[in-house]
Amino acid sequence: MLKKLLFPLVAVFMLASCATPPTTIDVSPTISLPQQDPSLMGVTVSINGADQRKDQALAKVSRDNQLVTLTPSRDLRFLLQEVLEKQMTARGYMIGPNSPVDLQIIVNQLYADVSQGSVRYNIATKADIVIIATAKNGSKMTKNYRSSYNVEGAFQATNKNIANAVNSVLTDTIADMAQDTSVHDFIKQNAR
């Protein structure tokens, strides 16, 4: 009886120890919102996103002598489009088609460069995000938001360590977008 119970239990533990960690990184940055502008009266903007990274990986790490590619848990272009929509709504804009100004948010770079030794790891993350504002009157403006973040730790970098670094650099970039008023000023000047 004990053998019948013990064998399946040992097999389950052996299989569990062979399980590979997931290859997705939970991308969930903190979203900063700007102050509302009470002077906006019914101004509508349209927003779309694009991901122009050459590689869809967020990081590539060596685990058990194999190169593992880690990808985001969410589509980055939709995530950043959602962030920009929330920020514009907080400012007082309405979101919709046929607007006097179209906004496009583009992910040019978001990557965690992970280097690991036997006792330490280093994660260097960089974000490069662009907002292009195009007015119906022909005016155009491009605004870049760049941020970097570096962290070191003991032993091997886990998915959670990498996720924290990616979310930190994204949170900083989103905060810069919330504090910057250049796109907002461009819309106000060209929305008439």
Side-chain angles (χ1 to χ4, degrees), residues 105-170:
I105 185 161
I106 301 169
V107 184
N108 282 331
Q109 181 181 21
L110 181 61
Y111 190 75
D113 187 10
V114 181
S115 56
Q116 314 188 100
S118 55
V119 291
R120 296 201 66 67
Y121 67 83
N122 183 59
I123 305 171
T125 52
K126 287 186 178 166
D128 181 358
I129 295 169
V130 177
I131 296 177
I132 300 173
T134 309
K136 295 289 189 251
N137 66 13
S139 298
K140 191 171 184 176
M141 177 194 156
T142 301
K143 180 66 183 178
N144 284 74
Y145 299 94
R146 293 184 180 102
S147 189
S148 60
Y149 177 78
N150 203 6
V151 64
E152 290 185 355
F155 305 113
Q156 300 290 304
T158 64
N159 284 10
K160 182 144 182 62
N161 298 136
I162 298 166
N164 289 344
V166 168
N167 286 323
S168 181
V169 78
L170 260 182

Side-chain angles (χ1 to χ4, degrees), residues 73 117 189:
S73 59
Q189 290 169 4

Side-chain angles (χ1 to χ4, degrees), residues 36-78:
Q36 184 171 4
D37 183 346
S39 70
L40 291 174
M41 298 299 271
V43 176
T44 302
V45 294
S46 72
I47 299 174
N48 68 55
D51 187 350
Q52 294 187 347
R53 296 175 303 143
K54 291 176 179 61
D55 190 346
Q56 297 306 302
L58 277 183
K60 292 183 181 177
V61 293
S62 179
R63 293 195 175 136
D64 299 323
N65 295 324
Q66 288 188 329
L67 191 63
V68 177
T69 301
L70 303 174
T71 55
S73 59
R74 293 188 61 185
D75 187 322
L76 293 178
R77 90 193 130 129
F78 291 126

